[in-house]
Amino acid sequence: MAGVWSMAFVALPVAVVVCLFTPAANRWFRYGD
């Protein structure tokens, strides 16, 4: 069970950061809502 929690606390922020640095995300933040 500890492995699941550690994976969640490591993998989720990494996935979020990767998503934020994609070109689509850059376009979204650059041109606003």
Side-chain angles (χ1 to χ4, degrees):
M1 195 66 187
V4 174
W5 282 108
S6 63
M7 186 178 70
F9 282 113
V10 172
L12 286 177
V14 169
V16 168
V17 169
V18 169
C19 288
L20 286 177
F21 282 108
T22 58
N26 285 337
R27 213 174 305 124
W28 174 267
F29 287 115
R30 188 175 303 126
Y31 298 118
D33 32 11

